[in-house]
Amino acid sequence: MTESQNTRTARNTADVVILGAGPAGLLLANLLHREGIDCAVLERATPLHLRTRARAGFLAANTVRILDRHGLSGNLHRHGRLHGSCEFRTDDGHFRLDYAGLGRGEQHTVYPQQDLVADLLDQYLEAGGRIRFETEALEVHDADGPRPAVTVRGPDGATGRWSARYVAGCDGRHGAARRSLPSTARHHRRDHGVSWLGLLAEAPPSLDATAYALHGRGFAGHMARTPRITRYYLQCARGTRAGEPPEERLWDELDTRMRATDHGPLHRGRIVQRAVVDLESDVVEPLRHGSLLLAGDAAALISPAAAKGANLAVLQADLLARALADDLARGDGRALERYSAEALARIWRAQEFSHWMIRLLHARPGPPDGESFFHESIRRARIASLRASRTHQDWFAENYVGI
Ligand code: RFL
């Protein structure tokens, strides 16, 4: 089915209505469709927007195994690149961890999230899957009853209603699924008090490793995306307006924090995307509310400090697809009963590591005092341990690539 044929399909019911066509929603849709389960995806954005929205890039080994298992990784292996090295640059010197040879010996595959989304979308459409673009879910109703419904606003601005047996909320942190949660849902939020200016540059990576620079002026990060595109992060003050700093100033600041005088200047290029990200965590418990199930960022937001968000989304979609297929195709609801607890156990492991990374990469927010001196000394000791201890390095590698 093509994208436009899909928009014309009239039937407004499905066994599983999936909100959102990000990595979580599209993987879930592919897997359910293959199991012969009647599902439909409702997505607010246009296909072009989905195919070009640059976000994550580092896929964990387990994410790749899941996509391999389902035969959804062809392009990823053709165009993605294995990546197994990261470098820390600090006032006490720099060191590199070749994590592909540490821990479980796993590596990342660098493959832009928008390309993964495009692959999943193509596979789903080719298999005849149903999706409505430019269709915004407004609210989920009757999740506690046997026949939940979703009110939507379509491309022509008219509202409509979908009915389902299950609604999978894969529509991110600000989507309709989260807005429709009952008052019994618990939200565990943490503002880490740190913000990053995320930049995407039309410039080749400046080194063959991810670089984390810990500097008195704040953190800076360097992450490869493609041979011609590199992501950079600059820690910035809360409330910074992304569009304001001129490009030259950003490159100068990156060079300073990355210590260009010791390591050579960065490869500069046009900055094609900028966004301020406040580092936050936000976990919903439980992930099942009657017939409404949450996955991906809708289930748990994780700061990009440890590059876990897209990987968690894939993992949860895989778990949820198996649980829904057991229930709907085989009449066995046990996996669905376990879904929330199983997914949350992995979410909290990832949150723990991400939290550890945040404290490693940043000075304590706020004015300098005795507490910040203590934090800084602990941070230096932690870096020294990571530099010197093979056991610590193995732990780091296992958590850094693992999920
Ligand atoms: P997505 O990808 O946000 O997709 C949700 C989809 O839902 C649609 N939507 C709605 N549709 C219908 N009705 C509504 N009411 C809707 N509201 C929203 C949206 O248009 C969208 O298409 O969520 P999903 O599938 O849960 O995937 C999560 C990941 O996208 C996210 O966790 C990662 O991008 C996080 N992340 C990273 N994760 C990694 O694993 N590795 C990385 O290297 C990495 N780098 C990053 C990142 C996130 C970043 N930002 C955006 C903070 C770098 C950055 C800058």
Side-chain angles (χ1 to χ4, degrees), residues 134-164:
E134 296 176 75
T135 298
E136 182 181 11
L138 301 175
E139 198 182 343
V140 181
H141 310 267
D142 307 324
D144 280 332
R147 201 74 196 162
V150 185
T151 46
V152 299
R153 189 186 298 116
D156 53 2
T159 52
R161 197 175 169 93
W162 279 73
S163 68

Side-chain angles (χ1 to χ4, degrees), residues 179-197:
R179 280 201 303 277
S180 308
L181 289 173
S183 57
T184 48
R186 295 184 300 280
H187 297 263
H188 307 290
R189 296 196 179 101
R190 174 125 193 172
D191 180 346
H192 300 282
V194 176
S195 299
W196 285 1
L197 178 55

Side-chain angles (χ1 to χ4, degrees), residues 3 7 43-47 50 121 125 131-135 155:
E3 283 163 3
T7 307
E43 166 59 50
R44 185 176 59 184
T46 62
L50 296 181
L121 186 56
L125 290 169
I131 182 164
R132 294 278 179 91
F133 298 105
E134 296 176 75
T135 298

Side-chain angles (χ1 to χ4, degrees), residues 21-65:
L26 283 173
L27 179 60
L28 179 62
N30 271 283
L31 303 186
L32 291 179
H33 186 70
R34 282 173 181 194
E35 286 275 351
I37 288 162
D38 174 33
C39 62
V41 182
L42 309 180
E43 166 59 50
R44 185 176 59 184
T46 62
L48 180 67
H49 183 73
L50 296 181
R51 291 172 188 279
T52 51
R53 183 174 52 191
R55 296 176 85 182
F58 274 60
L59 301 182
N62 191 49
T63 303
V64 176
R65 277 195 293 272

Side-chain angles (χ1 to χ4, degrees), residues 212-232:
Y212 298 103
L214 283 59
H215 194 276
R217 295 175 62 85
F219 162 74
H222 159 282
M223 280 135 219
R225 280 295 183 265
T226 73
R228 285 178 296 127
I229 302 280
T230 308
R231 187 174 274 296
Y232 285 97

